[in-house]
Amino acid sequence: MTSTVPTPAGRLTTPDETPVSAGDSRATPDPLTLGRRLRHARQQAQRTLTDVADSVGMSPSALSLIETGKREPRLSVLTALAHALGTSVPDLLATAPPTRRAALEIKLERAQRSEAYELLGLPKVKIGPRLPQEALEALVGMHEAMAAAQADQAATPEHARRANLALRERMRAADNYFGDIEQAAADMLRSINHAGGPISRASVDRLAAQMGFTLVHTSDLPSSTRTVTDLQNQRIYLPQPEAGQHDSRSLALQALAHLVLGHRVPADYAEFLSQRVEINYFAAALLMPEKETVQYLRTAMQDKDIAIEDLRDFFAVSYETAAHRFTNLATKHLGLPVHFMRIAQNGVIFKAYENDGIQFPSDPSGAIEGQRVCRSWTARRVFEQPDLSQAFKAYTDTRSGTYWCTAVVDRTAEGLFSVNVGVPYQHVKWFRGRETQHRSVSRCPDPACCTQPPAQLSERWDGQAWPSARVHSHLLAAMPPGVFPGVDDTEVYRFLERHAPAAPPID
């Protein structure tokens, strides 16, 4: 994760580029792009390597290394080269390749420098002026096709499960606390002189403006997207906020997070997943600033009255955001080990995190997404309550110990979900609802606990039932193709074309 302090012009990244701050000549783009722009400027000036190298006091071989992207020049060298070639440093630092051929050469060079290509043990094609354009096109096309095929092959449910497992282990190792993201969020709040308290829609607009972006609400976002960011015109398109104010704020902050955290286009599903976690964390850190949230929680802890629903109401966020934020800060600042779950009404896990020793159901690889939690767990028992608007609190004796949990039902367009936060029994003294009389025992993974039908029902119906199973096609298919899984690029580009501001007339 990379955090940056935003400038008024923002800090943007595009595919295969090193972030460059707008108007900052001290930053350098990708060395390959810089080298090709330098070579292009030299050739346009009809100068030789030796001629230009002599004029700036360096050897031709050193200049060649810069032009081939194998060495990054110091600013003083770059300034001297720009002066010698009659161009400017900003022009040399532009992030776009100077020609189509240069773009192809850069792509081929990157492909041949990749670890995947090294493992093939094949010789590298010499990239120079004698290599025909058609050969360049063919070679780059082949490398891109191979990379796409490998990505499709890797983006299987098994790959997704491994990525989820690795991310959960990373979060557990950090106690779900990421200091660099906390710092980036704090820097953003200071940049608009946020006085404290819940962040408003007006403050979110100011944060966007500080980054050089405008927030635009629209009713025709592509169906495969939550937001769309137009980097060219510096606009962030959001859905109309019918779902509630906190949804609109959170989506806007998540879109800004990609820019603040210096995210690149994800190379694979694991990186995509990691970025999703990071932007959710960043948005929550702005909606519920660390200093104020910790102060609020410590006061509640002193009163032995911690309640996730109070966090939700005080900061005007969703229950799930409050629950996530609690897990970010509880271990680091309060010394409380915790676990979190979001499950469907049928018990299937969609998200989960733990550092308190609870044993989630898992497959042989250790992945938990898609597994079904025990019927005795609080996260499932909440659906049995007559009033689904209230938080349900209960104790559960499990194979890994006794846990106290609080759960709330979240109504969505996709159905009912349960959001659950829990702690080991010895830490329940700090929470409201510890006096609950609700208690259950879970013997899972023993089939007799809740997966095996009762004997009387089995005797009555065994061999007499033939249900038609609802097969989830996503369990069998590869992950949705594309750089951003499931996003229809054509739909997105048509949307941007409809909404892009008209170009100014040419004088």
Side-chain angles (χ1 to χ4, degrees):
M1 291 177 289
T2 304
S3 62
T4 61
V5 180
T7 65
R11 183 172 174 84
L12 310 180
T13 58
T14 55
D16 300 322
E17 292 180 19
T18 300
V20 180
S21 297
D24 184 356
S25 61
R26 293 169 300 176
T28 56
D30 178 88
L32 283 172
T33 305
L34 172 59
R36 289 313 189 278
R37 293 194 68 84
L38 181 59
R39 176 187 292 171
H40 180 73
R42 178 176 61 78
Q43 291 174 343
Q44 288 292 103
Q46 298 182 337
R47 304 276 296 276
T48 66
L49 267 173
T50 302
D51 177 26
V52 174
D54 288 345
S55 68
V56 297
M58 66 189 307
S59 67
S61 60
L63 179 56
S64 177
L65 288 174
I66 295 174
E67 288 193 355
T68 55
K70 296 176 182 177
R71 177 180 295 177
E72 294 187 53
R74 294 191 301 273
L75 179 59
S76 58
V77 174
L78 198 60
T79 302
L81 288 169
H83 179 73
L85 295 171
T87 185
S88 66
V89 170
D91 186 59
L92 292 178
L93 287 174
T95 54
T99 63
R100 167 66 178 168
R101 181 181 178 89
L104 290 170
E105 290 180 350
I106 291 170
K107 287 182 178 180
L108 182 56
E109 185 68 37
R110 285 201 184 108
Q112 293 187 152
R113 290 184 185 183
S114 69
E115 183 179 354
Y117 190 81
E118 293 286 350
L119 292 174
L120 294 175
L122 297 174
K124 294 181 179 179
V125 175
K126 185 176 181 180
I127 304 171
R130 294 183 181 179
L131 184 63
Q133 179 97 355
E134 294 82 359
L136 261 177
E137 295 274 7
L139 288 168
V140 170
M142 288 175 59
H143 278 289
E144 290 180 341
M146 289 174 60
Q150 289 175 342
D152 285 344
Q153 192 175 37
T156 61
E158 176 62 26
H159 175 75
R161 285 193 290 271
R162 288 198 302 269
N164 273 290
L165 176 60
L167 181 59
R168 204 170 80 252
E169 289 174 345
R170 169 190 166 201
M171 293 163 66
R172 187 190 305 119
D175 286 328
N176 206 21
Y177 177 86
F178 297 112
D180 51 351
I181 298 183
E182 297 283 359
Q183 185 62 54
D187 290 342
M188 287 287 286
L189 290 173
R190 276 194 294 272
S191 73
I192 61 168
N193 298 315
H194 182 61
I199 191 170
S200 65
R201 260 296 309 280
S203 295
V204 175
D205 288 337
R206 289 168 59 203
L207 287 170
Q210 185 82 344
M211 294 287 293
F213 280 76
T214 303
L215 303 181
V216 180
H217 288 84
T218 181
S219 58
D220 64 336
L221 270 175
S223 58
S224 59
T225 66
R226 300 190 306 163
T227 65
V228 174
T229 300
D230 179 348
L231 295 173
Q232 183 180 76
N233 298 295
Q234 295 189 287
R235 292 180 169 188
I236 296 174
Y237 292 98
L238 305 162
Q240 294 291 352
E242 293 95 350
Q245 187 188 39
H246 65 263
D247 290 335
S248 177
R249 290 179 301 154
S250 182
L251 286 173
L253 293 173
Q254 288 168 18
L256 288 171
H258 285 300
L259 308 174
V260 176
L261 301 179
H263 285 166
R264 301 166 184 257
V265 173
D268 53 27
Y269 180 75
E271 189 172 358
F272 167 79
L273 186 65
S274 178
Q275 289 182 4
R276 282 292 293 270
V277 168
E278 290 173 12
I279 65 172
N280 286 336
Y281 192 117
F282 178 80
L286 284 170
L287 292 168
M288 303 176 66
E290 180 178 21
K291 181 179 179 180
E292 294 168 40
T293 307
V294 170
Q295 183 179 10
Y296 185 92
L297 284 171
R298 282 178 174 159
T299 299
M301 192 175 190
Q302 289 172 0
D303 297 337
K304 296 185 177 180
D305 195 36
I306 296 175
I308 305 300
E309 52 267 38
D310 283 0
L311 272 181
R312 171 198 63 193
D313 296 342
F314 184 79
F315 288 98
V317 295
S318 68
Y319 188 89
E320 184 173 358
T321 295
H324 269 302
R325 194 65 178 135
F326 177 75
T327 65
N328 295 152
L329 304 173
T331 306
K332 170 73 174 179
H333 293 287
L334 307 180
L336 298 177
V338 295
H339 69 267
F340 165 91
M341 279 188 295
R342 177 181 173 84
I343 69 168
Q345 191 170 9
N346 61 4
V348 170
I349 296 175
F350 275 63
K351 299 179 190 175
Y353 162 78
E354 40 68 41
N355 68 354
D356 61 356
I358 197 168
Q359 296 181 31
F360 292 129
S362 62
D363 65 14
S365 72
I368 60 175
E369 287 74 20
Q371 301 299 304
R372 200 182 306 271
V373 302
C374 178
R375 295 177 187 275
S376 298
W377 284 20
T378 306
R380 290 193 69 177
R381 292 182 64 198
V382 65
F383 294 111
E384 302 168 3
Q385 304 313 299
D387 184 358
L388 296 185
S389 67
Q390 297 296 316
F392 175 67
K393 307 170 193 301
Y395 292 94
T396 309
D397 299 326
T398 76
R399 55 180 173 146
S400 53
T402 298
Y403 293 87
W404 174 90
C405 299
T406 176
V408 160
V409 173
D410 183 19
R411 298 178 182 271
T412 75
E414 291 76 35
L416 299 181
F417 289 82
S418 164
V419 178
N420 179 97
V421 173
V423 295
Y425 178 81
Q426 59 267 37
H427 296 286
V428 70
K429 62 183 178 180
W430 309 112
F431 291 82
R432 182 188 307 165
R434 58 189 175 276
E435 70 284 351
T436 179
Q437 298 302 304
H438 295 291
R439 189 159 195 147
S440 61
V441 177
S442 169
R443 298 188 304 278
C444 282
D446 181 354
C449 178
C450 65
T451 59
Q452 191 177 74
Q456 186 175 0
L457 285 176
S458 292
E459 183 179 348
R460 170 73 178 87
W461 292 105
D462 188 26
Q464 304 301 317
W466 191 293
S468 178
R470 184 188 297 276
V471 177
H472 298 286
S473 59
H474 67 272
L475 296 178
L476 306 176
M479 297 301 297
V483 173
F484 302 99
V487 171
D488 185 331
D489 289 340
T490 301
E491 191 180 19
V492 171
Y493 296 159
R494 285 176 175 167
F495 168 83
L496 289 174
E497 194 67 21
R498 287 197 307 271
H499 287 269
I506 301 175
D507 294 333

